[in-house]
Amino acid sequence: MNKHDQIKAFVKEELEIFGGPLYMPESQQETDTERSPVSTDIQTLSEFNTAIEGCMNCPLGATRTKFVFGVGNPNADLMFVGEAPGEKEDLEGVPFVGRAGKLLTDILKAIDLQREDVYIANVLKCRPPNNRDPNKEEIETCEPYLLKQIELIKPKLLVALGRISASTLLRTKDSLTSMRGKVFDYHGTDMVVTYHPAALLRNPNWKRPAWEDFKKIREMYLEKRGEQA
Ligand code: URA
């Protein structure tokens, strides 16, 4: 076992025994580069998936069933970012496969896109227990993975699905309403914000404004690809 695997095994065992993050004096903590393989010489999404799918860098590693890396076209121009895997995603290892996912697939079809045309990922790659909101530690640990995915995919447009995804990535407490209709810069890539499909299932009144957002998303996507709307 190399040093990295030994540390991972130790952290996993501690989490199983104590059920929470463990304290390590700073001198014993790994450096960022040791802790995450993000900064290594990874060139493809599948290599990256293999490198991080055993991640135990936060407590969610010990409670997940499957790591949910992301799915879709590795060269997609359009990339959707949800919050975190839910129950079904955790079991299958694929994002947006539950009821909300089915709605997302239907909305994509309505703007002439298939899931295979776009890339779909989440801010967190592991399910928070009982689908609670992601916490700061989890976000800080996992967001570099999303950044690396974006670096490899190079989408022309990012869509944050829902307030939690958007406010987490954009470091704001703004409401979803105030974020909709604006174009943000997320580490050099244009990002727009719309409703989470699960919110649309809970509140069908939001389907009409969401449809307006998705028409705009399609227009921006075609424009960025140099195609006619
Ligand atoms: N909700 C999300 O934010 N992501 C998923 O993958 C599923 C549900």
Side-chain angles (χ1 to χ4, degrees):
M1 229 194 257
N2 64 28
K3 182 174 167 243
H4 188 75
D5 289 339
Q6 275 172 355
I7 293 169
K8 276 198 330 196
F10 172 72
V11 172
K12 186 164 191 271
E13 197 180 278
E14 292 287 302
L15 285 169
E16 276 162 7
I17 296 167
F18 299 113
L22 74 175
Y23 169 75
M24 258 196 249
E26 259 176 39
S27 58
Q28 284 176 28
Q29 286 173 14
E30 299 165 85
T31 63
D32 274 355
T33 23
E34 282 173 313
R35 192 164 182 241
S36 127
V38 170
S39 55
T40 60
D41 216 13
I42 284 166
Q43 302 293 329
T44 68
L45 270 186
S46 71
E47 265 181 83
F48 188 42
N49 187 2
T50 307
I52 65 170
E53 66 190 354
C55 179
M56 293 297 291
N57 289 344
C58 88
L60 298 185
T63 54
R64 69 168 176 247
T65 309
K66 286 199 176 159
F67 185 85
V68 182
F69 180 76
V71 71
N73 178 351
N75 301 307
D77 288 329
L78 183 57
M79 176 167 176
F80 291 87
V81 185
E83 181 182 325
E87 188 179 10
K88 200 149 193 267
E89 290 77 18
D90 174 67
L91 291 173
E92 295 190 21
V94 181
F96 284 98
V97 286
R99 277 182 72 223
K102 186 175 177 310
L103 179 58
L104 178 62
T105 307
D106 290 344
I107 297 173
L108 288 175
K109 278 192 198 137
I111 57 166
D112 280 334
L113 290 170
Q114 307 295 317
R115 276 172 78 104
E116 297 71 31
D117 295 323
V118 302
Y119 201 85
I120 303 173
N122 285 304
V123 178
L124 295 192
K125 308 301 185 218
C126 299
R127 181 192 183 202
N130 302 316
N131 299 342
R132 62 155 172 73
D133 290 351
N135 69 31
K136 194 161 172 275
E137 182 204 354
E138 292 153 4
I139 293 162
E140 278 172 9
T141 310
C142 221
E143 193 179 3
Y145 293 159
L146 178 69
L147 281 166
K148 180 73 182 179
Q149 287 178 304
I150 294 169
E151 183 194 314
L152 293 168
I153 298 165
K154 300 185 186 60
K156 294 183 162 70
L157 182 62
L158 290 164
V159 180
L161 294 169
R163 187 187 56 83
I164 305 249
S165 164
S167 60
T168 300
L169 298 175
L170 298 169
R171 306 285 190 271
T172 170
K173 289 192 165 57
D174 289 354
S175 67
L176 184 87
T177 316
S178 70
M179 288 187 274
R180 285 183 51 237
K182 294 182 187 154
V183 180
F184 299 91
D185 178 303
Y186 180 68
H187 296 264
T189 306
D190 283 352
M191 175 184 270
V192 294
V193 175
T194 188
Y195 297 91
H196 193 289
L200 302 179
L201 291 172
R202 283 194 303 269
N203 191 341
N205 289 338
W206 289 335
K207 282 191 178 169
R208 181 158 292 277
W211 176 236
E212 296 305 319
D213 290 349
F214 273 90
K215 283 195 292 190
K216 185 89 189 112
I217 289 164
R218 173 158 180 86
E219 263 172 43
M220 290 179 73
Y221 164 76
L222 290 178
E223 193 179 310
K224 284 176 178 294
R225 285 167 61 93
E227 293 174 23
Q228 285 291 323

